[in-house]
Amino acid sequence: MSESNNVHAANEPGKAEGGLEPQLPATSPENISAEEKPEWGRLINETLRTSFLKHPRWEGIPASPVIMLILVTGYILATLCLQRLAIAGPADFHFRAIGANWFAFASWAWLCFSLRRDPVKPDGSNGSTAPSASHLFVLSMAQGLFLFLILNLPFGLSMYLGWITYGSFSQVISWLIYLVPLLLTIAIQSVFLWRACDRRAWSMVLIFFVTVSSIAMQITTRPPHFWYPKRVESSEADSSDRTPDISQEVFEAQAALFQEKMSGLQPQRTGIIDLYSLNFAPYGDENVFLNETSMVTQVMEKRFDAAGRSLQLVNNPGTMNSLPWATPLNLQRAIQHVAKRMDVNEDILFLHMSSHGASDGELSAGMWPLTVNTVTPEDLKRWLGEAGIKHRVISISACYAGNWIAPLSDADTLVMTASDADHTSYGCGSKSDLTFFGRAMYDEQLRNKTLSFETALASARPIIKQREEEAGKTDGYSNPQIAMGANIRDRLKLLELRLPSAQPLP
C-alpha cells in the first residue's frame, strides 16, 4: 500500500493528516478530464500497441457488456466477409453458421477470468495496474480481431479479385497459408497474455491448453461456413459455379456410370495401331477444364481414330449424370481397363490432364463438397507400369507442369507440358473457355494442321508466347516443354501413316 494510502487509513474517512483532502492517484477516474475519459480511441491505441508486442497499458481501457458484444459481433462479421471474398461468383448464405465457433468465445472468456480472478482495477486507483478479467477479455478480443483482419484480408481480397485461387497452390502451401497467420496470432496473443497474467507456470499451461483445444475443435468438427458456392439447380446443370448435392443416390449412379463407360470401350484391332484417349479434369470449380478435355477428346476421336476408344473423367457439377468423376482411383481403374482392351505392345495410350498446378507440380483436385486426392507423377508412372502399357503420350495442361517431365520420361513415352517447372501457364481462369496451351496445341494445330505432336507443339509455342505478352502475363513466358522418347517417336510415325485420310475438323 502506498504512503498516501497509509496516511489516509490513519485519519477519518475523507480527511488526510492535517485536515487536508487525500490526493487521488493520477490515473483515478475522478482525476481524468472529460476529454480523457476512457473511450474507443484508448482501446484502439492499445490494440495496435500490443499487436506489435508492446507492453499493455491498462489505464482508461473501457470494458462493458456492450463493448464485449460489439467485439464478438465484429469477429462474426469479419469472418462472414472474408469467407465471402474467398468464393468467386455466386454464393449461398447459410445463416446456421452463426451458431458455430461459440466454443472459442466461451473458452477465451473463461481463460481471461482464470488468469485474472482478483477484482483489481486497471485504472490504478487501488495501486494496481493489473487488468480485471473483463478488461483482459476486451483488449485481447480487440487485439485478436485486428490480427485476424490484417493477416487474412490480403489473401481474401486476392481471391476475390481473381489474382489467386485455391488451386494455385499445393496442399502444403495451402496449409501454410492457413497456419502461418494462425500461429502468428497465437504467438502475439500468448506474449500479451503472459505479460497480463501473474506469470506463473500454470498460467502458461492454461493459455496453451485453451488455445490448442479451441483450434483442435475447429479443425476436427469442421464447423459450417457462412457462404458456399451457389448450388446447382435443375435448370442450371451446365454451370460449374454451383455446388451440387452429392447424395447416396449420386454415388451409386456414379459407380454405375463408370462401369457403363468402361464397358463401352471398344477392343483393339489386330494389326492396327489404335490410339486410346483418356482425359482427366480433376478440378471442378471452373468450366475451363471440362471445356478443354471435351475439346481434346473430340480431336482425338476425329483426327486420331479414337472414337469408341476414348474416355473422359471430369469433376464438374454439370456432368454429374454424364461423366465419371476424375478421382485417382477412377483414373487407376480406367488405366487398368484400357490395358485390357488394347494391345499393350502395339497400341498407344494418350492421356491429357488439365487443372491448376502448384509450384511443386501438384495438380489441384476437388469439387466441393467432394474431397478428391491429387495424382502425382509417381502415381501415374506406377499405374502405367502395373497395367503394362508400353507406348504412352502424356499431356499436362497446368501451371508448373514441367515438374512432370523427369518422372515420366523414358524411351517409350512422350511427355508434353503447358509450362516448364518454373512458370505458370495461362488462360485457366473462370472466364476462359480454353487454356492458351489447349487452344493453340489441340484446337488450332492438331485439329486442323498436323497429326504430329512434335510439330504441333513447335508451332504452338510462339503463338502462346505472343498471346501471353498481349494478355499482360507478368511472370514470364510459360515455355511449354516436350520430351520425346526414341521408341514412341517411331510408333507415332506409324500411327500417322495409317491416318492419311484424316481431314481437318470444322
Side-chain angles (χ1 to χ4, degrees):
M1 184 176 289
S2 66
E3 180 181 353
S4 62
N5 285 337
N6 285 325
V7 172
H8 183 237
N11 293 276
E12 64 179 288
K15 296 289 183 178
E17 185 177 5
L20 298 176
E21 291 292 331
Q23 295 297 313
L24 295 173
T27 56
S28 172
E30 291 83 356
N31 203 39
I32 300 177
S33 66
E35 294 76 17
E36 296 173 333
K37 289 290 185 181
E39 294 178 350
W40 278 100
R42 183 64 177 163
L43 177 60
I44 293 173
N45 182 66
E46 288 307 305
T47 296
L48 296 176
R49 290 185 69 259
T50 56
S51 295
F52 291 95
L53 299 179
K54 298 290 186 179
H55 284 269
R57 299 179 304 193
W58 298 101
E59 297 81 0
I61 297 295
S64 70
V66 172
I67 291 177
M68 294 178 190
L69 178 61
I70 291 173
L71 288 171
V72 171
T73 303
Y75 257 107
I76 295 173
L77 292 177
T79 302
L80 187 150
C81 293
L82 287 172
Q83 288 182 2
R84 183 61 186 90
L85 289 176
I87 299 176
D92 287 322
F93 178 70
H94 289 238
F95 183 76
R96 68 176 182 270
I98 197 73
N101 294 324
W102 288 101
F103 175 81
F105 294 126
S107 61
W108 201 256
W110 177 82
L111 173 64
C112 292
F113 177 81
S114 300
L115 293 176
R116 271 290 150 216
R117 289 174 293 180
D118 297 332
V120 295
K121 297 180 180 180
D123 55 22
S125 60
N126 66 341
S128 172
T129 58
S132 66
S134 59
H135 290 84
L136 181 58
F137 180 75
V138 165
L139 186 51
S140 64
M141 284 286 291
Q143 183 196 58
L145 177 57
F146 172 72
L147 293 172
F148 177 72
L149 287 173
I150 65 169
L151 293 176
N152 291 280
L153 188 59
F155 181 73
L157 285 174
S158 299
M159 293 281 293
Y160 182 76
L161 296 173
W163 296 342
I164 59 175
T165 65
Y166 280 122
S168 302
F169 307 104
S170 67
Q171 289 186 347
V172 173
I173 299 300
S174 297
W175 270 106
L176 287 176
I177 291 173
Y178 169 74
L179 287 176
V180 169
L182 180 63
L183 294 176
L184 187 58
T185 299
I186 291 173
I188 293 174
Q189 292 213 287
S190 295
V191 171
F192 164 75
L193 291 172
W194 177 250
R195 288 170 172 171
C197 71
D198 54 18
R199 304 193 184 189
R200 296 178 182 175
W202 72 268
S203 299
M204 206 65 210
V205 172
L206 188 62
I207 294 171
F208 176 81
F209 172 76
V210 172
T211 303
V212 172
S213 61
S214 297
I215 296 172
M217 181 71 73
Q218 294 185 47
I219 294 176
T220 56
T221 60
R222 300 188 66 179
H225 289 185
F226 285 104
W227 300 96
Y228 291 96
K230 197 169 185 64
R231 289 188 177 277
V232 63
E233 305 293 343
S234 58
S235 60
E236 302 173 309
D238 60 344
S239 177
S240 69
D241 59 2
R242 306 288 191 248
T243 298
D245 286 313
I246 301 181
S247 60
Q248 180 180 351
E249 289 77 11
V250 171
F251 275 100
E252 293 179 355
Q254 269 286 318
L257 179 62
F258 182 79
Q259 293 301 323
E260 176 187 340
K261 296 296 184 181
M262 293 298 100
S263 300
L265 287 176
Q266 297 180 10
Q268 63 90 26
R269 295 168 290 185
T270 303
I272 297 176
I273 299 177
D274 284 313
L275 183 139
Y276 282 78
S277 173
L278 182 54
N279 282 271
F280 187 77
Y283 189 74
D285 289 346
E286 292 168 345
N287 276 333
V288 61
F289 307 114
L290 166 64
N291 295 342
E292 180 162 294
T293 52
S294 297
M295 178 271 295
V296 172
T297 296
Q298 183 192 46
V299 171
M300 292 300 111
E301 289 181 347
K302 300 299 184 181
R303 292 278 282 166
F304 288 84
D305 195 23
R309 297 176 179 83
S310 65
L311 176 67
Q312 271 185 275
L313 302 179
V314 175
N315 292 333
N316 189 282
T319 62
M320 297 276 288
N321 299 318
S322 58
L323 294 174
W325 284 333
T327 65
L329 184 57
N330 275 359
L331 179 59
Q332 181 184 14
R333 289 173 174 172
I335 290 173
Q336 293 172 346
H337 188 78
V338 168
K340 295 177 181 178
R341 292 288 187 175
M342 70 190 305
D343 184 332
V344 295
N345 294 311
E346 178 181 68
D347 299 327
I348 300 170
L349 172 66
F350 170 84
L351 172 60
H352 180 73
M353 307 177 75
S354 182
S355 181
H356 290 298
S359 57
D360 60 359
E362 184 176 277
L363 301 185
S364 297
M367 178 178 60
W368 180 264
L370 183 68
T371 299
V372 181
N373 292 329
T374 58
V375 176
T376 67
E378 292 73 20
D379 289 334
L380 182 57
K381 183 174 184 179
R382 184 176 69 255
W383 296 339
L384 292 170
E386 292 171 351
I389 298 176
K390 183 177 180 181
H391 307 295
R392 316 155 181 172
V393 175
I394 301 173
S395 172
I396 311 294
S397 178
C399 297
Y400 308 106
N403 287 283
W404 287 67
I405 290 180
L408 294 172
S409 296
D410 60 37
D412 297 306
T413 304
L414 164 62
V415 185
M416 301 172 292
T417 64
S419 58
D420 60 26
D422 301 313
H423 291 91
T424 61
S425 57
Y426 216 62
C428 54
S430 58
K431 297 181 180 179
S432 301
D433 293 327
L434 297 170
T435 68
F436 281 21
F437 174 76
R439 185 183 300 280
M441 175 73 184
Y442 293 96
D443 195 44
E444 296 173 351
Q445 298 300 317
L446 290 174
R447 177 188 286 272
N448 295 310
K449 298 178 180 179
T450 182
L451 293 173
S452 167
F453 291 102
E454 280 187 292
T455 301
L457 186 60
S459 300
R461 280 174 52 86
I463 296 173
I464 294 171
K465 187 175 189 296
Q466 178 181 350
R467 289 173 179 171
E468 289 178 350
E469 291 173 350
E470 293 173 351
K473 189 173 186 289
T474 59
D475 68 333
Y477 176 39
S478 57
N479 195 23
Q481 300 289 296
I482 186 170
M484 174 74 81
N487 296 341
I488 190 64
R489 177 183 283 111
D490 295 338
R491 180 61 45 173
L492 289 171
K493 287 181 179 178
L494 292 175
L495 175 64
E496 289 180 49
L497 290 176
R498 85 158 186 85
L499 300 171
S501 60
Q503 297 298 317
L505 297 179

